[in-house]
Amino acid sequence: MGLGSWWRGGSAADRRQQQNDGAPLSEQAVLAIVAQQLTELGGERWTVEGALAKGPGSAAVALAAPHGDGPSHLDLSFLLDAGRPQETAVTDCVAGFGADSEAAVRRAVEIWASTTGVTMLELLAHNGRFAGHIHPADADALPGWHAIHGGIVAWGAGDRHNAVQDWTVAHPLLPQLAPAFADGFGRDALIGVKVFLGGRAGEETAEVRVDGVVHEQASKLLLGLDWPRVTEGTAYARTFVLLVHPEG
């Protein structure tokens, strides 16, 4: 299903200790990093044109209004059709860390590309090259929905830095989160779901965002699941799922 991709960096403590020195990157510089990552992933050239990183056909990526602090916190909107941004945008946020602003932004874009970016590229390609398709009848589906599941990336510190990622691969999240989504969504197609979880025992983080907005009920449900709470070091995982459309 293409769920095994991963990326490993420093711990949350490392992130707090590292300073993002230097001036924040310009919009053009951030979009250039996005274009480079997507070009390397997909093999088709992405370029920066004005306020967009533009790819094959009508696809593009724009910077959305940020909701977090710091130059390495990015809100990115993948536009399936740049001419119809309201109808075709899938927005997600991501944060990175590094020795300076550029390194932190590059790390953030790398994480986004490995989870959200590959999911959107798979929607365009629809051939299983970039991410896995989950059909409504599959055991790991959100009942009634066709979904595309991006990579599960991991980072942390210590011997068990990948413990949460391993658990997430072995325990598909969509059926576990399904009760929180019983009331449906704000639209009937192209629902972006980001999942972030991890930490250490006593310092857990669990967040589910739907179309870029925290879903309180799903986040609370995620926090209550039995994923590993490591006692030494830290372990985090992040993934992204696109609910493409319902199938009855």
Side-chain angles (χ1 to χ4, degrees), residues 74-198:
L74 304 176
D75 286 74
L76 298 169
S77 287
F78 195 109
L79 312 176
L80 293 170
D81 185 344
R84 297 187 299 124
Q86 295 298 323
E87 299 94 332
T88 67
V90 176
T91 300
D92 187 21
C93 65
V94 66
F97 59 95
D100 54 35
S101 294
E102 181 176 355
V105 168
R106 287 189 178 278
R107 192 65 53 83
V109 172
E110 182 183 55
I111 295 169
W112 174 86
S114 298
T115 53
T116 311
V118 293
T119 303
M120 302 309 297
L121 291 177
E122 177 57 30
L123 180 64
L124 295 174
H126 210 75
N127 58 13
R129 175 185 171 195
F130 299 102
H133 289 259
I134 305 176
H135 299 280
D138 293 347
D140 50 355
L142 182 67
W145 285 84
H146 178 97
I148 299 175
H149 202 312
I152 300 172
V153 298
W155 65 94
D159 292 341
R160 299 192 65 207
H161 63 268
N162 59 352
V164 176
Q165 181 208 35
D166 290 345
W167 181 91
T168 304
V169 172
H171 300 80
L173 289 171
L174 287 180
Q176 298 185 84
L177 296 177
F181 299 143
D183 293 335
F185 305 98
R187 60 184 184 184
D188 58 5
L190 301 181
I191 313 295
V193 180
K194 183 192 83 171
V195 180
F196 171 70
L197 67 160

